[in-house]
Amino acid sequence: MKIAITTAGNDLDAAIDTRFGRAPQFLIYHSKTGAFSIQENTQNLNAAQGAGIQSATTLAQAQVDCVITGNCGPKAYATLDAAGIKVYTCADATVGEAIDMLKRGDLKPAHEANVEGHWM
């Protein structure tokens, strides 16, 4: 399974970024191997609008199975949902802790956005 986690850091000890569309980058973790890579998201950091949709499209193209983020707006959620990507929200955790919570079943998939659009 490929898991994308919003973060500003470069490793599993980095904190989860609370923003989805405007997260500085995504750490993409491969659960079978434990390997991960960084997907930059700099094009969306200061986007006037559409950051969530574009970020969701980028992750769909990367063929991730799910996303762990602090918050996800309605347009980003709809785009992820249409691509079959599950969304999990998690706050106050490192990337590694969030992955462990997902593996244990402590995170439940969201069924809708948890913030309004243009949340920053």
Side-chain angles (χ1 to χ4, degrees):
M1 175 169 45
K2 287 173 76 173
I3 306 165
I5 305 99
T6 56
T7 186
N10 294 316
D11 59 32
L12 300 179
D13 294 325
I16 292 176
D17 195 295
T18 58
R19 304 163 296 174
F20 173 72
R22 289 183 171 80
Q25 58 201 22
F26 302 98
L27 185 145
I28 300 178
Y29 178 84
H30 301 265
S31 64
K32 288 185 181 181
T33 65
F36 63 87
S37 60
I38 301 296
Q39 172 73 52
E40 295 293 330
N41 193 37
T42 52
Q43 75 277 8
N44 292 313
L45 286 176
N46 297 309
Q49 56 186 350
I53 294 170
Q54 182 56 44
S55 295
T57 301
T58 296
L59 294 180
Q61 291 170 345
Q63 299 180 324
V64 303
D65 298 295
C66 66
V67 171
I68 302 173
T69 187
N71 295 288
C72 187
K75 292 178 183 177
Y77 181 86
T79 304
L80 292 165
D81 188 52
I85 300 171
K86 292 183 180 178
V87 177
Y88 297 87
T89 56
C90 180
D92 299 325
T94 67
V95 170
E97 290 168 344
I99 291 167
D100 289 342
M101 286 189 273
L102 181 65
K103 288 179 179 179
R104 288 192 311 263
D106 293 342
L107 298 180
K108 303 299 178 209
H111 298 290
E112 61 185 15
N114 69 327
V115 292
E116 295 295 321
H118 299 284
W119 184 84
M120 294 177 62

